[in-house]
Amino acid sequence: MWYNKGTLLVLMYFINGIAFTFDECEESLYYDSEILEMADQELRYEPENLYLSSFYLIDEQCHPLMFELELENPECLPID
């Protein structure tokens, strides 16, 4: 998905459909037409969108980077 006016390709993380953080994609993915096509079909996020959604999660004490949360399906998480 694209971030910051379409200048950054990112892997966005969500909790209950609300974006809360992202990882930058490696540079080689910018040359993969299939990845770029998928990113073009997704919503674009701006820093303000991420700020507002993160603030909402913090206000509700549900931000996974700041609060310890009980998981419904911990077996679905990656091992690392």
Side-chain angles (χ1 to χ4, degrees), residues 37-70:
E37 188 176 309
M38 285 174 34
D40 288 340
Q41 294 173 2
E42 297 291 330
L43 289 175
R44 290 176 181 235
Y45 279 84
E46 299 301 321
E48 185 176 347
N49 302 119
L50 198 58
Y51 171 79
L52 292 173
S53 61
S54 285
F55 186 81
Y56 169 75
L57 290 172
I58 291 167
D59 193 41
E60 294 293 322
Q61 296 185 355
C62 293
H63 198 295
L65 299 177
M66 300 187 77
F67 301 97
E68 193 166 324
L69 304 174
E70 262 188 60

